[in-house]
Amino acid sequence: MRIFEEMESEVRGYIRSFPAVFDTAKGSEIFDEHNNRFIDFFAGAGSLNYGHNNTTVTEALIEYLQNDRIVHGLDKATVAKREFLKKLRDTIFMPRNMDYKVQFTGPTGTNAVETALKLARMVKGRSNILAFTNAYHGLSMGSLAVTGNSFYRDESYGLRANSAFLPFDGYMGKAFDSMAYLRKLLSDQSSGVDLPAAIIVETVQGEGGIHVARDEWLQELESICREFDILLIIDDIQMGNGRTGTFFSFERAGIKPDMVVVSKSIGTGLPMSLLLMRPELDQWKPGEHTGTFRGNNLAFVAATKALEYWDSPAFADGITHKGKLFENGLNAIIEKHAKIEAELRGVGMVWGIEFSDPDFASSVSEEAFARNLIIETAGANGQVLKFLPALTIEEKLIEEGLNIVDESIAAVLKSRKDLRDGVLA
Amino acid sequence: MRIFEEMESEVRGYIRSFPAVFDTAKGSEIFDEHNNRFIDFFAGAGSLNYGHNNTTVTEALIEYLQNDRIVHGLDKATVAKREFLKKLRDTIFMPRNMDYKVQFTGPTGTNAVETALKLARMVKGRSNILAFTNAYHGLSMGSLAVTGNSFYRDESYGLRANSAFLPFDGYMGKAFDSMAYLRKLLSDQSSGVDLPAAIIVETVQGEGGIHVARDEWLQELESICREFDILLIIDDIQMGNGRTGTFFSFERAGIKPDMVVVSKSIGTGLPMSLLLMRPELDQWKPGEHTGTFRGNNLAFVAATKALEYWDSPAFADGITHKGKLFENGLNAIIEKHAKIEAELRGVGMVWGIEFSDPDFASSVSEEAFARNLIIETAGANGQVLKFLPALTIEEKLIEEGLNIVDESIAAVLKSRKDLRDGVLA
Amino acid sequence: MRIFEEMESEVRGYIRSFPAVFDTAKGSEIFDEHNNRFIDFFAGAGSLNYGHNNTTVTEALIEYLQNDRIVHGLDKATVAKREFLKKLRDTIFMPRNMDYKVQFTGPTGTNAVETALKLARMVKGRSNILAFTNAYHGLSMGSLAVTGNSFYRDESYGLRANSAFLPFDGYMGKAFDSMAYLRKLLSDQSSGVDLPAAIIVETVQGEGGIHVARDEWLQELESICREFDILLIIDDIQMGNGRTGTFFSFERAGIKPDMVVVSKSIGTGLPMSLLLMRPELDQWKPGEHTGTFRGNNLAFVAATKALEYWDSPAFADGITHKGKLFENGLNAIIEKHAKIEAELRGVGMVWGIEFSDPDFASSVSEEAFARNLIIETAGANGQVLKFLPALTIEEKLIEEGLNIVDESIAAVLKSRKDLRDGVLA
Amino acid sequence: MRIFEEMESEVRGYIRSFPAVFDTAKGSEIFDEHNNRFIDFFAGAGSLNYGHNNTTVTEALIEYLQNDRIVHGLDKATVAKREFLKKLRDTIFMPRNMDYKVQFTGPTGTNAVETALKLARMVKGRSNILAFTNAYHGLSMGSLAVTGNSFYRDESYGLRANSAFLPFDGYMGKAFDSMAYLRKLLSDQSSGVDLPAAIIVETVQGEGGIHVARDEWLQELESICREFDILLIIDDIQMGNGRTGTFFSFERAGIKPDMVVVSKSIGTGLPMSLLLMRPELDQWKPGEHTGTFRGNNLAFVAATKALEYWDSPAFADGITHKGKLFENGLNAIIEKHAKIEAELRGVGMVWGIEFSDPDFASSVSEEAFARNLIIETAGANGQVLKFLPALTIEEKLIEEGLNIVDESIAAVLKSRKDLRDGVLA
């Protein structure tokens, strides 16, 4: 590990939470250089919905490389890109009656968010964007301006411009209707909240701590956007690609966003991002937004292969089924350890346990790693234990992983009790 | 091609300049789906310095994939990342007596630029950044604020904050000393130009039209930065990785930037970006800047392999030699077609011909494509024909390509003459 | 009137609502050039709390001018300025146990607000400022950024930076605790609302439509400011100088703002503004904020004279008494005309009637002017009839004025009924 | 003086340079409370072009007050305002063939500048404004963004937006053509300088250090503005009202600005400001920009009276004549004290001596005050001694004042020599 400490910036993070040098991986298992095996409940922060080194994907990549097919293509037409577009249209758009234009952006989530915000501003001729408390949309300057967490915001960045934050569903408790508040702010020309070009929202806030917006809330948001001529942008970077049970996370609410930001698992772990937009919004001039790696053809090959999972409804059914396993398992764990005063939140295959003690989640994550489970925390203060496994995870690994969580919670409780009792840890 | 028109955003660009569906590629040759062969003088806008599907790189990638080694790693430690760091240290930093910390950023150039600007602002506690006329640093909001071309800037983006532009070397002709101007602005507390956290500069402006800063100018810039406690950031995205004859483009001037932004060819065409910073600037808190794809391990494998080119001085010598072939060949072409009143500019293996007629370059590019050569234009109005071949290009392909350029210029001249003479084209 | 139409900008406003050429004025009566008499319930938008051409003030001004005493003094020391400072200290600060430093700013309200915001930002080293829905703090760029009404905000102004708006007391109804919301936003580091340098607030929103903050709300605001190290700025431009019953409007809540912005009636109608600040906030360097007319000595003479009203408690008692006359009279009017579905709000001698029909207030104002009463509207859409008489107004003028309001409401009701009934107006 | 130290903010400035408590004043003489007489070469920073307590003005004010005529009028029509508009039209606009609409703004210079910038941005739909090195346009946030001196700019103000600075005439020496530079920046879409709504300029920079723009430079600036559809705003706050020899300072160059900002002496020392605009730019909605004291009728009365000076050409001739007295007198002084290596700059009745030693000017000002002459410094570091007397000053006071300057320079030279020689001062 010494060379990382010597050469890599202090900014490195996960290497600290999960201090091992990893080498190989398959599905939901990762192995370090000493061949220690770990179960992965983190899935590349949602980039590995189809698991590590998914066999059919890997085989397609190897064959592509063996034939010297084009890897770096800028935004030139390639056979691999054409195949991806066809598959996206036939497997995703057509069955859902969707009509979106596709923009290949720089292959990071934040690049795609930046693109969406620029386009929305340009089309509407307004610079304001509304976002929500606890929102996480990325860390480049445009995206950071709509990201809530002040940990990432420095006074010197000069970020505080052309965006405003609203309470997300449930932020002020169930009694407060945050959509009524939004409607009032927009209706009242003296509210100080200028008419925005767009509202950007995650249907489930992942980094923010697994806050699930209710369907009615999302529907009301859509209807306010229509009423006030505001574009609705869904940031589906972490929650898309099947995470919540359907390909797009907003399908459950039956809404039709004006733009959708897609990234993470779309390329099965290879850098790739898309902006989907209603055709009439596609007002770019040729080359007006560009980027060197927007033609990452390896990712197109992987994505095309992965979309085959969506050919039949079995895949979505599996998400629902496994999601239930998590929900039930976690509820049982919470019940068992009543002292932790925890709240379970989630949908599909994204779940979070918020502990009343803000440090508890990271202690559990640490104990879990000691037991060979990789699991992350989320929320403003890392107070939420976050379950984000591959959608392809085997049931026995779910069971094994949940057992480790159970043990880890017990271990944390015990060590805290010992501490209180004056027992040496 | 129909599916691209139907589904892909109007923003698509190169597909219009180079209307073919490409399929395979090797070194400096690309083939479309009908197996038509093209010589590539564009090299993925500088991402393919080692050529398409460089054999040793591709073999390493295939082997890596075949062994199910980790592809997506966030910023966890992996064996592949460790190998890259070692190779970078041993082959690049040590022989050059460099001591930089390395930050793996989101794998696009603009992500790395954003990271540099944020860090500079944070460390210095100042929000201002100075950039230069014709600068191109990327299109996300932070980078766009230091990019000169108004084609990319929309009033609604609200970009005009915390940056100011200065004349690049030669911008106002040779008589004007732009560094004296900068020194005056900084010395004079009433100049309206606030002390910046950093100055960001390309040693050769690529997108801006192949403007080569003189060594003395860069040295004076460095010395002003030292004098006024300003960080010097070199954006080496397009000009690094050997493009100008040395691994970093600033080596020729003997300067020591505080930060260096590296991307494009570092991953041989796979998305990868680095920020290098002097160790005392590494003031990030763990996780303070992050990104999903900053651990693109396939790129690390490719990068480690590609750095072997720098094990011996032969590679750099080859760049110099081939650069001369371009310089001489292009000078001969310009002399031959005196009417075009063209100016040749460049260094190493980046060259540009600026034509007095601003539309000439794109006509030549078009004619060249008809003759199976891919070559791009640059500059504010695309008035510069830009030569950016792979550094590994064979001499016979250089010759073949230059002949096509010669013919293409002749063809454009003829068609314009015909037009003037009333002859049907 | 023709020359006004010919030469004065279209921006002119009150000349349209009150189309007469005024010439003389005394107390609460104004006379046009044809000697038509009007009762004044507007009092220079709160600048004439001591009435027009208050006799003792006018006499002092005449004597000052007759003796060629200094009129324009920049910020040099003058006898008149010294007298004012003494009087302010002895009559206002000492009996209230206040310890503020005094800054003479450019003599407009917005200048004083700008000064407060700059000082707060500089002292705290934070750029963010929080303001409230319906806030009105002025129209220069710094003040406009914390003014809610979008009528004054143009996309091109680039205003949307370093400020955010919160719901004022009662904005979302009585059930919503806007201070709990503020506390949550500030406690939650992921709320998107960065810690501000200051919160600026009017204790009663005048231009915003006569919204009276409750004492408890103001106390809670003060206590949040203390808890989070935020400066509390009271904008007392319109509500200070006795308008609400005490010299400063915040006295009723027993709070101690960090800064107080004073203007309008302080100079009895002559341009004058002050910023009061806690001594430890006075971190200006000499000359760091300046302005040509901050030494308007005529205003100092007038202000010194006017402060004599505060020598005894009788003046404040009179405000309370006359305020009651308004409250009772207006309640009677509202009861009488039940159809108008109006709400009365106010305190001291500032009252507003909000009509359910947003156009009603301006119709009443128009009818009143036809009956020789000058009365303005307020609120985002001018939906509130605003009573802002001089504090020195005679009781019989109050009665006379209220009768006109009564008649005017009746007249508007009648004309609307006629309209509905098809009767020609 | 104690009460000033006790109660007034540390920001107070001139009270420190001129430590006396002033009481009366007439013409160009001021008297302190002990009846010490001072000659005034400062004239209220250019607000007292017609002298202190100009007799005809004062008489008119007294009569106005004695008749209880309206003092505070908001923007209602008053007889006094009508008289002023007529006089402005007949005496100033008509003989000069000018056709401007008049906007009465808040009565400070910075308010009028803010108004001009807002209107320019709104009309052109562009937020960018260009200003010049050493520019001074005021200290509220909109004006401060186009003011060069960083002494007034704090990082926390978040000012650096929507403005850029260009070199003023002569800034980089005579060899550098700053208008050619401007033209290049605007012609080149890749310069980083976005097309501005307006360029704001002082024809002579007063606070900036008495830099006089050449006629040709101003003409070229106007012609660039026309060519690129940019509004030209002349800030005539300090240099208008006859200061440079004509009523407006730009008359000498024969240019026709789109907007003119007028303040300072227009009201003879009483707060008053105007924005003049070409009629087609008058696109305000009624009430869209407002301010409590924009109807300062005492100032209108004074202004109407003062404009009588312009009824005959004698007044302008007098400025030229007295300006010559200054020019000759100052040249003689500079020649006499060759050691000071001073440069004289100026026009009309504004002159500045820049000393090579930056501290020299303030020492001279101090010595002069000790000899009962009030004279200020200007420039980024106060390195310029600034002559800004009333235009009505008597010739014998000019002579007396210049003698004091001569003596003061001698005294400073002597004390510095003594210091070097080790003589006790």
Side-chain angles (χ1 to χ4, degrees), chain A residues 283-289, chain B residues 9-13 16 151-152:
Chain A
Q283 299 176 19
W284 291 113
K285 288 182 286 242
E288 195 174 358
H289 186 79
Chain B
S9 162
E10 292 301 320
V11 82
R12 65 196 188 278
R16 300 173 199 260
F151 175 65
Y152 301 113

Side-chain angles (χ1 to χ4, degrees), chain D residues 236-363:
Chain D
D236 233 13
I237 294 175
Q238 189 163 123
M239 293 304 146
N241 294 296
R243 176 55 59 190
T244 64
T246 47
F247 185 79
F248 294 113
S249 76
F250 53 82
E251 294 179 46
R252 65 174 162 100
I255 61 174
K256 291 180 189 304
D258 298 291
M259 296 189 203
V260 186
V261 181
V262 179
S263 183
K264 294 224 183 214
S265 282
I266 186 72
T268 78
L270 297 175
M272 177 173 171
S273 295
L274 301 174
L275 174 63
L276 312 182
M277 68 197 88
R278 282 196 296 107
E280 58 271 39
L281 301 176
D282 185 19
Q283 299 175 18
W284 290 114
K285 287 182 287 243
E288 195 175 359
H289 186 79
T290 176
T292 295
F293 295 118
R294 67 204 187 286
N296 183 13
N297 281 264
L298 286 186
F300 299 159
V301 170
T304 308
K305 214 68 199 164
L307 287 182
E308 290 178 6
Y309 276 99
W310 298 92
D311 287 341
S312 93
F315 189 61
D317 294 346
I319 300 170
T320 308
H321 172 67
K322 291 180 207 165
K324 269 288 162 208
L325 295 183
F326 270 96
E327 186 174 11
N328 296 338
L330 293 173
N331 269 324
I333 289 171
I334 289 173
E335 246 169 82
K336 182 173 162 189
H337 305 286
K339 273 183 229 157
I340 55 177
E341 292 169 42
E343 183 191 349
L344 178 68
R345 295 190 297 260
V347 63
M349 277 177 82
V350 50
W351 293 91
I353 300 181
E354 178 154 2
F355 298 93
S356 55
D357 172 348
D359 297 330
F360 204 92
S362 62
S363 300

Side-chain angles (χ1 to χ4, degrees), chain B residues 381-395:
Chain B
N381 308 296
Q383 77 277 25
V384 177
L385 195 66
K386 182 181 177 187
F387 298 80
L388 206 72
L391 307 180
T392 55
I393 191 169
E394 297 93 332
E395 296 196 17

Side-chain angles (χ1 to χ4, degrees), chain D residues 76-127:
Chain D
K76 287 187 286 227
T78 64
V79 173
K81 188 170 169 181
R82 187 171 60 195
E83 295 310 305
F84 168 72
L85 282 172
K86 272 189 195 155
K87 186 72 191 163
L88 180 69
R89 181 189 59 187
D90 297 346
T91 303
I92 304 299
F93 288 178
M94 288 183 64
R96 288 166 182 77
N97 255 318
M98 283 176 172
D99 182 22
Y100 285 120
K101 293 292 284 289
V102 178
Q103 179 171 0
F104 295 90
T105 70
T108 69
T110 194
N111 266 301
V113 169
E114 295 263 346
T115 311
L117 300 183
K118 282 170 67 175
L119 183 61
R121 284 173 165 133
M122 189 183 74
V123 168
K124 289 294 175 196
R126 307 173 203 145
S127 50

Side-chain angles (χ1 to χ4, degrees), chain A residues 46-50 57 84 88 92 104 107 236-237 240-242 247-248 261-274 276 298-307 310, chain B residues 293:
Chain A
S47 300
L48 296 163
N49 285 5
Y50 306 103
V57 169
F84 169 72
L88 180 68
I92 304 298
F104 295 89
D236 232 14
I237 294 175
N241 294 296
F247 185 78
F248 294 112
V261 181
V262 179
S263 182
K264 295 220 183 218
S265 282
I266 186 72
T268 77
L270 297 175
M272 176 171 171
S273 295
L274 300 175
L276 311 182
L298 286 185
F300 300 159
V301 170
T304 308
K305 214 67 199 164
L307 287 183
W310 298 92
Chain B
F293 294 118

Side-chain angles (χ1 to χ4, degrees), chain C residues 84 99 146 148 178 184 214 239 296-297 338 348-349 360 396:
Chain C
F84 168 73
D99 182 21
V146 289
S178 60
K184 172 85 190 255
R214 289 165 302 128
M239 293 304 146
N296 183 13
N297 281 265
M349 277 177 82
F360 204 93
K396 68 173 172 46

Side-chain angles (χ1 to χ4, degrees), chain B residues 148-151 379-381, chain D residues 184-194:
Chain B
N149 201 333
S150 64
F151 175 65
N381 308 296
Chain D
K184 173 84 191 255
L185 293 174
L186 294 172
S187 307
D188 175 7
Q189 77 155 343
S190 203
S191 68
V193 175
D194 298 328

